[in-house]
Amino acid sequence: MTDAALFQSIIASLPEIVVVTGACVLLILGQLVRKGQEHFLVSASVAVVLIAALATLLLASEVRPAYSGMFIADRFAVFFKLVFYLATILTFLLSRKYADIEGIASSEYYVLLLFALFGMMIMASATDLLSIYVGLELMVLCTYVLTGFLRRERRSNEAALKYVILGAVSTGIFLYGVSLIYGLTGTTQLNAMAQAVTGNPLDPGLLLAVVFIVAGLVFKVGAVPFHMWVPDVYEGAPTTITAFMSVGPKAAGFAVILRVFLNPLVAASDVWIIVAVIAVVTMALGSFVALVQDNFKRLLAYSSIAHAGFAIFGVVAGGQDGVASVMLYLLIYAFMNLGIFGAVIMMRNGDFSGEVINDYAGFAKSHPGLALLMLIYLFSLAGIPPTAGFFAKFYVLVALVERGFVVLAVIAVLLSAVAAYFYIRIVMVIYMREPERVFDPALTPMVRATLAFTALGTIGIGLFPAWFLGFAQQSAAGG
Amino acid sequence: MGFPLLSLILFTPAAGAAVLMFLRSDDAVRWTALVVTILDLALSIALLAGFDTTTHEMQFTETVPWVPALGITYALGVDGISALFVFLTALLGAVSVLASWVAIERKVKAFMVSLLAMQALMLGVFSALDLFLFYVCWEAMLIPMYLIIGVWGGEGRVYAAFKFFLYTLAGSLLFLIGVIALYFHGGETFDILALTARDLPFPVQAWLFFAFLIAFAVKVPMVPVHTWLPDAHVQAPTAGSIILAGVLLKMGAYGFLRFSLPMLPEASVYFSPLMLALSALAIVYGGLLALAQDDLKKLVAYSSISHMGFVTMGIFALNLRGLEGGILQMFNHGVTTGALFLFVGLIYERTHTRSIADYGGLMKVAPVYAVFLALFTLSSMALPGTNSFVGELLVLSGGFAANLAVGAAAVLGATLGAAYLLGMYRRVALGPASVSARFKIRDVNAREMVAILPLAVFVLWVGLYPKPFLDIIDVSVKHLLAEVHGEGSGQ
């Protein structure tokens, strides 16, 4: 690589460099911070992400390929990076008080989140199966550790262990697919893959390779049949990390899926039939199993499986609208899901875990404002207008019907009627039951800011979706 | 685009709901809600006053781009049919606030906010000229209505609220797919008027008709998807029942008028025998169920199923009399059944029982109540001189013209109506006062009279001189018919 090319590559990956440098500096500084001064870590971490966001926006004007085809900074990547920044910053804001309550004092918590962010950013920009792998592993390694962060809790340890083992298996499957691709086509670059196939693109070997890669990626977004880790890991991890995982890494997984699946090689192999089946089964399983959950975090885990299923419908639709619909869905999902998780995190105070749904009985009586926020997030997750969740689903359905997948669209809406049931059930508990306890939410200014911001997004995108839709469509076109 | 009167009508209750959030005392909340709804009613009267009855064109139109990338606009406008329902919604809005004045004791603010939000959304449904906007309003109503039933309802409110929510949601979601499919078949637009002008091939029309039918039939409700209605009505607070019966049920029928008939004319004609048969079934079956009830509110709820059967029968008779009768009957049912639910609520507030067996001799203890109840009962059974007589006569004559057997079934249903309504009135108001004497029943007070009187006026006004009401809808209905039967639809 010449000096000029290296310089260009460094410019293109400036946001990543900012994040990783910031994380390293914080790692050292974190050891010097005295007890009671942890808010410094939060502000510093947020500042790092904000600088990275600024760099991303400044560089967004043109498409910048970098590192000899391993990496690209395009609009598609910019969109996803903004979603990651959003998820990370809000997680930081939610974490401060929660970390105190749970007794998480170490600075590594924040550093690991920054490293996970770094991994996600690589995933969004990766254009080579190997750089995808590097980003993926960096991200999941951090989340493995974060999942087990409540060292004294058995649940947390178990979740981390489960996550590591299953994650390693899925990584192995993914790598096996990559090696097959390399053996058959002689390249791992996404763009070169399709051109390298001289013979029949439906060669059984290639098909097998694609299936392995699909399986590896599907694990990361928690879709059936690789969803089994989701409920346990979501339940066991610290709630702030659960919130983060349900939004950031999931969006990163989708970023890769979109890049890989829309690759001509994969698109030619009729893989969409598999994907359609995955979408239907994922949504059905997530929705039906969520019906019987009593634990809020588990319910949200199944709900996130169901939402992943809905977003995969957008992948099935394909085309510019399909891609844009997935992206818009993830953005909106980030707002509403971080909102509802913010509410659950806020409830964790003293001896109150905030994890049992029935414990929320009568919450609307004592805290009408907070209850209203929860109502907004829940109706948005259920996809009821005028909230953003409705528009997210609407646009996926538009993409489906446009491509002629009317039957899939009908299945999708019927399953979302099932899903609506359990969100509405929580509203029922909050609004229609008598309170059994006194609520003392851990409301810090940071948590307040998070809740207000996510609510603003959930309502605002619902009422004025035009700008966000345009942003998603342009970003999809630039990918 | 002139003065945005329709937007003003829509946003008055919405702004009112926002203002309520900042009020502290319950009385201030009640008075503000009342002032807002009365202001809204005045605006809707201004709308009718400025309405041009000589054209079927949409009036008071407004268009603002909303999501240009998908061709979604914020487009409003009314023709004769929707203008009538905008007025009905505003009227019942004010009545509902009055009806919940003392009936709602807890969380008054939240209740009034829900009520005003409901009103804004219902007005949105009746004045939307963009399919997406229509759908958003149609579906968003689930949230306040779910809360109204579930938080302020009776004993079984949670179950009833759930059932209401899931039935309507499941129905509406298929409608959503239909809407999106229509968007692509109709040239990628959500403009209702542009979609109406399109000629779709029959197979497309046929399946869209069923996608729409499920949503509208649940809302009407038609047999066999009616079972959410008695639960919802019985458990809902009085204002909720008034809104449900008065406006919400009209939306299904309005959907047929605004979408099924003009956009899918061939399918509407083709499936009209099926729709007529379902209507006849609803009339007779609803009547029989009402006959068997001892709970006053359930009786009125089941009678609604029967009465809405008349409405759908009128619509799918697909002739002038049937359609005009059906639409007038929608209005009448809103007034009359709204009033009956109000009366059930009044007596329930005083006695805390709804069992008909617990009443008797109200004529002696509460004569004013009993007299007005008689008026609305007679109106409900379509006695000449009352509003429903005019509507039902038109529907019957349209129904007989369409199909003899269906008309005959409707007559049977009307007879059943007389049986259960007269029976109800006899057991509630007449006879010895011994049973109801154990409750200390006050007669209606001034505030309640204010809610009752306008409804009574409309019962007699439409009954004795229906011409102004028929004039409002006449041109629009003729145009609608022309569209269905393909005459002069090229304009």
Side-chain angles (χ1 to χ4, degrees), chain A residues 382-394:
Chain A
I384 310 293
T387 58
F390 166 70
F391 196 81
K393 289 195 167 159
F394 173 77

Side-chain angles (χ1 to χ4, degrees), chain B residues 210-236:
Chain B
F210 275 96
F212 287 13
L213 172 64
I214 293 171
F216 299 152
V218 168
K219 271 261 177 19
V220 167
M222 300 175 74
V223 177
V225 284
H226 64 285
T227 60
W228 63 270
L229 177 111
D231 287 306
H233 267 322
V234 170
Q235 299 303 335

Side-chain angles (χ1 to χ4, degrees), chain B residues 174-255:
Chain B
L174 286 178
F175 175 47
L176 178 62
I177 299 292
V179 166
I180 296 173
L182 192 61
Y183 168 76
F184 285 113
H185 282 294
E188 311 221 344
T189 177
F190 285 103
D191 182 342
I192 290 176
L193 296 179
L195 289 172
T196 307
R198 292 260 181 265
D199 257 340
L200 298 175
F202 181 75
V204 175
Q205 285 195 21
W207 86 257
L208 280 179
F209 186 86
F210 275 96
F212 287 13
L213 172 64
I214 293 171
F216 299 152
V218 168
K219 271 261 177 19
V220 167
M222 300 175 74
V223 177
V225 284
H226 64 285
T227 60
W228 63 270
L229 177 111
D231 287 306
H233 267 322
V234 170
Q235 299 303 335
T238 303
S241 300
I242 295 175
I243 295 284
L244 264 174
V247 187
L248 227 62
L249 305 191
K250 307 298 164 307
M251 290 184 175
Y254 180 75

Side-chain angles (χ1 to χ4, degrees), chain A residues 385 402 413 421 424 432 463 466, chain B residues 66 139-140 146 150 166 169 173 184:
Chain A
E402 186 183 18
V413 294
Y421 179 87
I424 307 316
M432 300 169 196
L463 291 179
Chain B
W66 188 8
E139 193 80 337
Y146 172 70
L166 289 178
L169 182 72
L173 284 173
F184 285 113

Side-chain angles (χ1 to χ4, degrees), chain B residues 435-491:
Chain B
V435 188
S436 53
R438 61 195 164 93
F439 308 109
K440 285 197 181 110
I441 296 178
R442 291 169 289 105
D443 211 339
V444 284
N445 61 29
R447 174 183 56 77
E448 290 156 355
M449 270 320 277
V450 175
I452 296 167
L453 271 181
L455 299 175
V457 167
F458 279 104
V459 165
L460 294 174
W461 186 359
V462 179
L464 298 174
Y465 187 59
K467 186 166 179 303
F469 298 89
L470 290 172
D471 279 349
I472 293 175
I473 60 173
D474 187 54
V475 182
S476 301
V477 170
K478 281 181 178 142
H479 177 69
L480 177 61
L481 262 182
E483 276 179 319
V484 174
H485 296 300
E487 297 150 29
S489 50
Q491 49 189 309

Side-chain angles (χ1 to χ4, degrees), chain B residues 350-395:
Chain B
R350 288 158 167 77
T351 61
H352 292 280
T353 171
R354 279 193 305 258
S355 171
I356 297 178
D358 287 343
Y359 303 127
L362 283 184
M363 187 65 99
K364 295 194 180 85
V365 284
V368 181
Y369 179 92
V371 166
F372 277 99
L373 180 62
L375 175 72
F376 291 112
T377 309
L378 294 176
S379 152
S380 187
M381 54 184 262
L383 196 81
T386 64
N387 53 354
S388 303
F389 173 73
V390 185
E392 214 168 291
L393 192 71
L394 283 168
V395 168

Side-chain angles (χ1 to χ4, degrees), chain B residues 78-94:
Chain B
V78 285
D79 64 356
I81 301 170
S82 29
L84 193 62
F85 293 109
V86 167
F87 171 70
L88 178 70
T89 308
L91 175 71
L92 291 178

